[in-house]
Every structure is written in structure tokens, then in C-alpha cells.
């Protein structure tokens, strides 16, 4: 037995991706203070939770979701065939959004995400004269009220442009002064995309926050804003602090151009978030046959040195009339559509765990000594089967406190 100082909690017989044999995890004051082989037994009078040789992960990380415009099915027609139509549909509704309405819809999705194992999340929040700061106030309240189960970070952004939308910048600045933790942008919605990007980067530097953009969201590779984003990133020495979401144009590039774009992204330190549900739903809809998938291959980019993540984006709204906020299901969905091989399955799991944690610069993520005791338990003992099999998420803990538990189903055999 290994003798240690007092623990509040010990997880017994946990399988980690980094360990070949089961380990015991000692927790004190909500943080991991010991990790030892289960064969050596941490000795202490403490609450014990036997994980039964199930896989423990530090939780899923969702880098890109829109809690403020989730769960809008039924409020408008959903026969939208393009990005611009979806944006117009939501714009027509959001002027009537209230703080209570946004909070209620966001809470519905947030609770689903929690029981599906998400422990860290960046939500993009629209800021403009139509919604004002009502959505922002609602999501700030969600961050406060659900801190017992999930760390929620707010990325504020102007969905409908910046230089062409008087009043939007003043509202953005107000939100950044009042708790905005990252800034995004939508240059393709602005009459002056480069000026839009310039101002977003200016504000990012002014407030010393990361940049997370919606970018290049179509399948026409004859033009894009990727070059300007990389230029701004390098000019401002902002590598490792910039991400682009969607980037579906990359999926339309021939091999040589894709090779050059990959090198450019890696050199600049610009990360890419792929949003499978939305990208697949909205891209290629005009095709009469042999429709393109419109999905950028994140696991391939990651293999070539580009930091990537797979995320949710939208849930039950005109952009994506599907969803349950399960990142494990999203990673499985991505792996299917992206033709991931079995040897890629661990990378696909990385795309919703370790890699998005790096994208968000989360220095305290992971089941490591000194880090918060945040972990989820999957009904499998092999990380590859997490992607292949979609096992149940059995339970979750935040700072050593249990946040949810899912009972395993029982078969009632006729002879039992």
C-alpha cells in the first residue's frame, strides 16, 4: 500500500488513456493529488468510488456552440437551404428574444451537454442592435448557475457584420468589459470583410483575449478570408490564440492547394474547428446528384500540425434542426462521414478532448496531479471503442463532486 495524506475521495480501478493498467486517483479539495497503480492501493480513510476498470476521461470540450439560438424548432419554417437563409430566419426572431427565453433554451441544451459528458464549453453569443445584450446577460447567468457542473466561456461576436451594422461595435465593447472572454467575427457577412477582421483583432489585443471566427463557410474556393486571418495572426504575434470555425472551403480544395493551406495554418498557428452537423446539413444542398460533403477533414489537418477540434455548433434551429449536445456522438458522426480508419479513432477522440482543450488554452485540463478532479466515466475499457461503439457515459464529476449518473440498462429475460 502507498500511504498518502488524507484524501476527500478516491477513485478506484480507473482506466486512463495514458495508463496500461488500472489506477487509483486521490482527490483533495476538489483537485487530483495522487495517481497510483491500483495494485499498490492508495491507503486512506476516504469516500471511495470504484470505477470497475472503466475508461475515465477529463470530460469533453465543446469549443463552438450557440446556446443563445438553440431550440428554435417550431418558431419558424425550417426549409432553409443556405447559410444566409438560416441567418435571416434567426435575425427575424432574435429581436423578440428575452433574457428568460434565451436562458430557458440555453439551459435545456446545457443540461443535455452535461449528462453527455461535456465539462468545458465555449459558447458563441451574438451581439448586435437587434438582440442587444439580452442574450449575453442570459448566457452569463447560465455560466454562473451551472458552474457546479461545467466551465462555460463566452465568445461574443457580431453575426450580421460589424462595419456595416451601426451600434454593433459599441455593444461588443460593452460585452467585453462585462465578462466576454473571447471575441469572434463573421467577415463574410460584412461589406468590408478585411476591415471587420482588423477591428476584431484590434479588440482582441485591447482586451488580451483569444479570437474565434466563423470563416469561409461555403464551397467556392476561388476566394476566401483565410489569407487575411493568417496575416493578421502573424502580424500581431497571435499564433495559438486564433481559431476558425467551419472553414468548409478547405474541403473543396485540390490536393496541392490543400497542402499549401495546411502549411499556412500550421505556420500561423491558426486552429480549425469542424462542425459536422451544420456543415453537412447546409453544404452542397443545391446539388442534384453526387452531392459534396462539405466537411473539412480535421483528423488529417491535425496529423499535419494544425490544431483542430470537432464541435456542436447549433442544436434544433434553422442552421441545424438536429442535435442532442453529445460530443461523443458528434465525434462518431464525424468519423463516419470523414472516412476515418480504425487507426484514426484515437485522434477522433482527441478532437473532442485534448485538442479542443489546447485550442481554448485550458492549462488545467486533464486527469493530472494538481488539476481539478473533473472526470467522466465511459462504459468501455478501451478508448478506441469510445468512437466505434458510442458507449454510455455512466457518471461525471466536477471538482470531485458527482454531477450526474446514468443507470446501465437491464435486460429482463423471460427466464430471469
Amino acid at each position: 500500500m502507498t500511504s498518502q495524506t488524507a484524501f476527500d475521495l478516491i477513485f478506484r480501478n480507473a482506466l486512463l488513456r495514458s495508463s496500461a493498467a488500472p489506477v487509483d486517483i486521490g482527490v483533495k479539495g476538489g483537485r487530483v493529488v495522487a495517481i497510483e497503480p491500483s495494485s499498490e492501493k492508495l491507503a486512506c480513510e476516504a469516500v471511495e468510488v470504484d470505477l470497475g476498470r472503466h475508461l475515465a476521461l477529463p470530460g469533453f470540450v465543446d469549443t463552438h456552440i450557440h446556446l443563445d439560438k438553440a431550440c428554435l424548432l417550431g418558431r419558424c419554417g425550417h426549409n432553409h437551404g443556405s447559410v444566409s437563409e438560416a441567418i435571416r430566419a434567426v435575425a427575424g426572431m432574435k429581436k423578440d428574444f428575452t433574457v428568460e427565453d434565451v436562458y430557458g433554451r440555453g439551459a435545456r441544451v446545457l443540461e443535455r451537454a452535461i449528462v453527455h459528458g461535456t465539462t468545458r464549453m465555449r459558447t458563441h453569443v451574438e451581439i448586435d442592435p437587434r438582440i442587444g445584450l439580452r442574450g449575453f446577460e442570459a448566457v452569463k447567468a447560465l455560466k454562473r448557475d451551472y458552474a457546479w457542473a461545467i466551465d462555460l466561456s463566452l465568445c461574443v461576436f457580431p453575426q450580421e457584420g460589424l462595419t456595416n451594422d451601426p451600434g454593433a461595435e459599441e455593444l461588443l465593447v460593452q460585452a467585453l468589459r462585462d465578462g466576454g472572454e473571447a471575441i469572434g467575427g463573421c467577415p463574410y457577412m460584412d461589406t468590408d470583410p478585411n476591415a471587420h477582421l482588423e477591428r476584431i483583432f484590434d479588440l482582441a489585443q485591447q482586451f488580451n483575449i483569444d479570437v474565434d471566427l466563423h470563416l469561409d463557410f461555403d464551397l467556392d474556393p476561388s476566394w476566401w478570408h483565410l489569407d487575411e486571418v493568417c496575416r493578421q495572426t502573424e502580424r500581431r504575434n497571435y499564433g495559438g490564440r486564433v481559431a476558425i470555425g467551419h472553414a468548409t472551403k478547405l474541403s473543396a480544395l485540390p490536393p496541392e492547394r490543400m497542402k499549401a493551406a495546411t502549411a499556412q495554418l500550421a505556420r500561423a498557428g491558426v486552429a480549425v474547428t469542424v462542425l459536422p452537423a451544420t456543415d453537412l446539413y447546409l453544404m452542397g444542398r443545391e446539388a442534384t446528384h453526387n452531392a459534396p460533403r462539405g466537411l473539412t477533414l480535421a483528423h488529417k489537418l491535425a496529423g499535419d500540425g494544425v490544431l483542430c477540434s470537432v464541435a456542436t455548433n447549433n442544436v434544433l434551429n434553422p442552421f441545424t434542426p438536429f442535435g442532442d449536445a453529445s460530443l461523443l456522438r458528434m465525434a462518431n458522426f464525424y468519423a463516419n462521414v470523414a472516412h476515418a480508419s480504425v487507426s484514426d479513432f484515437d485522434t477522433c477522440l482527441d478532437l473532442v478532448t485534448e485538442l479542443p482543450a489546447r485550442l481554448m488554452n485550458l492549462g488545467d485540463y486533464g486527469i493530472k496531479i494538481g488539476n481539478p478532479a473533473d472526470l467522466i466515466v465511459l462504459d468501455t475499457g478501451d478508448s478506441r471503442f469510445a468512437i466505434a461503439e458510442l458507449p454510455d457515459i455512466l457518471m461525471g464529476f466536477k471538482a470531485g463532486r458527482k454531477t450526474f449518473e446514468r443507470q446501465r440498462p437491464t435486460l429482463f429475460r423471460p427466464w430471469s
Side-chain angles (χ1 to χ4, degrees):
M1 286 190 172
T2 300
S3 179
Q4 297 285 345
T5 56
F7 303 118
D8 302 323
L9 171 69
I10 298 175
F11 294 106
R12 300 283 190 197
N13 298 309
L15 287 175
L16 305 181
R17 296 180 73 188
S18 59
S19 62
V23 298
D24 290 352
I25 303 167
V27 177
K28 177 70 174 177
R31 293 188 174 270
V32 176
V33 294
I35 302 174
E36 299 286 350
S38 294
S39 59
E40 297 183 15
K41 287 284 185 185
L42 290 177
C44 182
E45 291 294 326
V47 175
E48 296 188 7
V49 179
D50 192 338
L51 301 189
R53 293 175 174 253
H54 286 111
L55 178 67
L57 298 174
F60 300 118
V61 182
D62 202 330
T63 62
H64 192 126
I65 193 170
H66 295 264
L67 294 177
D68 56 342
K69 57 188 181 189
C71 302
L72 294 173
L73 288 181
R75 296 196 186 187
C76 68
H78 280 74
N79 294 320
H80 307 294
S82 69
V83 177
S84 59
E85 287 175 354
I87 290 172
R88 283 196 299 272
V90 173
M93 289 185 283
K94 70 181 175 182
K95 65 181 183 297
D96 298 321
F97 288 174
T98 64
V99 173
E100 294 74 19
D101 171 46
V102 174
Y103 184 98
R105 290 183 288 101
R108 177 181 166 188
V109 174
L110 204 54
E111 290 181 8
R112 295 295 298 276
I114 290 166
V115 299
H116 285 309
T118 297
T119 55
R120 311 285 185 108
M121 176 184 284
R122 173 182 284 171
T123 182
H124 291 246
V125 186
E126 295 190 15
I127 306 289
D128 60 48
R130 285 151 292 283
I131 183 67
L133 296 175
R134 296 190 302 279
F136 179 70
E137 292 300 326
V139 178
K140 274 204 308 178
L142 289 170
K143 174 185 174 72
R144 177 195 66 222
D145 292 349
Y146 285 89
W148 55 271
I150 190 168
D151 293 322
L152 184 61
S153 175
L154 281 61
C155 177
V156 297
F157 81 111
Q159 168 73 77
E160 297 173 50
L162 184 60
T163 69
N164 57 331
D165 198 7
E169 182 171 332
E170 291 77 9
L171 288 166
L172 271 177
V173 170
Q174 190 173 342
L176 291 172
R177 287 174 176 162
D178 195 26
E181 296 157 279
I183 189 168
C186 258
Y188 55 82
M189 292 298 296
D190 205 307
T191 50
D192 191 342
N194 285 354
H196 179 115
L197 289 169
E198 178 89 20
R199 191 60 190 134
I200 294 299
F201 274 89
D202 285 345
L203 290 170
Q205 286 194 300
Q206 179 183 336
F207 287 91
N208 190 27
I209 52 177
D210 292 354
V211 175
D212 197 334
L213 303 159
H214 294 66
L215 203 78
D216 294 341
F217 193 15
D218 62 43
L219 297 178
D220 179 2
S222 66
W223 63 273
W224 62 12
H225 299 127
L226 177 64
D227 290 339
E228 179 63 15
V229 169
C230 290
R231 189 184 74 81
Q232 291 281 353
T233 301
E234 292 179 311
R235 181 167 72 84
R236 298 168 190 261
N237 195 29
Y238 235 58
R241 302 192 68 181
V242 179
I244 57 176
H246 299 294
T248 51
K249 285 179 186 284
L250 292 173
S251 73
L253 295 181
E256 286 306 309
R257 281 195 62 192
M258 185 60 186
K259 182 178 180 181
T262 300
Q264 182 180 21
L265 288 163
R267 182 176 62 251
V270 173
V272 176
T273 295
V274 173
L275 305 161
T278 301
D279 297 346
L280 286 158
Y281 178 70
L282 289 175
M283 295 297 100
R285 294 179 69 87
E286 71 285 353
T288 59
H289 61 286
N290 204 21
R293 298 180 180 214
L295 186 78
T296 291
L297 300 182
H299 68 291
K300 299 287 190 184
L301 282 172
D304 288 328
V306 179
L307 183 58
C308 291
S309 69
V310 163
T312 299
N313 195 43
N314 282 291
V315 177
L316 304 176
N317 74 8
F319 294 85
T320 321
F322 312 100
D324 59 0
S326 168
L327 277 180
L328 185 60
R329 183 185 65 81
M330 193 64 71
N332 168 277
F333 181 47
Y334 167 84
N336 273 270
V337 178
H339 292 149
S341 64
V342 174
S343 61
D344 296 320
F345 285 1
D346 267 325
T347 300
C348 292
L349 187 57
D350 289 339
L351 289 168
V352 290
T353 53
E354 305 291 341
L355 297 179
R358 282 177 49 201
L359 186 152
M360 289 178 60
N361 291 303
L362 302 177
D364 62 351
Y365 177 83
I367 303 175
K368 302 172 184 175
I369 292 175
N371 282 355
D374 300 349
L375 62 88
I376 61 172
V377 183
L378 280 64
D379 193 10
T380 183
D382 189 325
S383 61
R384 294 171 302 172
F385 285 90
I387 295 297
E389 197 176 20
L390 285 179
D392 286 340
I393 315 297
L394 299 176
M395 64 185 79
F397 295 80
K398 180 77 167 68
R401 178 190 174 274
K402 185 181 285 188
T403 53
F404 73 90
E405 185 172 5
R406 179 178 284 104
Q407 296 299 319
R408 297 180 74 180
T410 300
L411 288 175
F412 294 98
R413 304 181 190 279
W415 56 86
S416 60

